[in-house]
Amino acid sequence: MKSTKFIDISELEDIFGEMDNSETCETVESLQADFILKLSVLTNCVEQNDISTFKLNAHSLKSNCSYLGATQLNQNSYQLELTTSFKDDNFSSNWATFKNTFDSTMSEIQETIEQLK
């Protein structure tokens, strides 16, 4: 249960030490809520053409990915962090890749929460 295609929650133990299922579940749920909030902020930034807030939140999401061993989402968030313009040719592709990876990661996070409960 600890490692799936998109997450590896054993990273939590490496960072926070040994936790019981309840503590692990609470931590994963908290990160899940933060990921959802970050996606909302990123989406709003694109709509409002706010590149500086976008980059800041992409960086924050990238950092939080390490807690769950979400390597692919971390890498996709890093690509977004490098964004200099929403009109850049690579942005649309990077954004689409990020959103697909985000959805897959969130699905596995939800499955992990259900297994921990």
Side-chain angles (χ1 to χ4, degrees), residues 36-55:
I36 292 168
L37 176 62
K38 293 284 189 283
L39 177 62
S40 176
V41 170
L42 290 171
T43 301
N44 286 337
C45 287
V46 172
E47 292 169 358
Q48 297 172 5
N49 200 34
D50 182 351
I51 195 77
S52 62
T53 303
F54 181 86
K55 291 175 74 144

Side-chain angles (χ1 to χ4, degrees), residues 19-37:
M19 296 187 292
D20 64 25
N21 276 4
S22 174
E23 293 169 319
T24 301
C25 187
E26 287 178 27
T27 304
V28 173
E29 286 176 325
S30 176
L31 287 164
Q32 177 189 43
D34 182 68
F35 284 21
I36 292 168
L37 176 62

Side-chain angles (χ1 to χ4, degrees), residues 52-64:
S52 62
T53 303
F54 181 86
K55 291 175 74 144
L56 180 67
N57 279 275
H59 174 78
S60 178
L61 178 59
K62 177 192 77 173
S63 298
N64 287 348

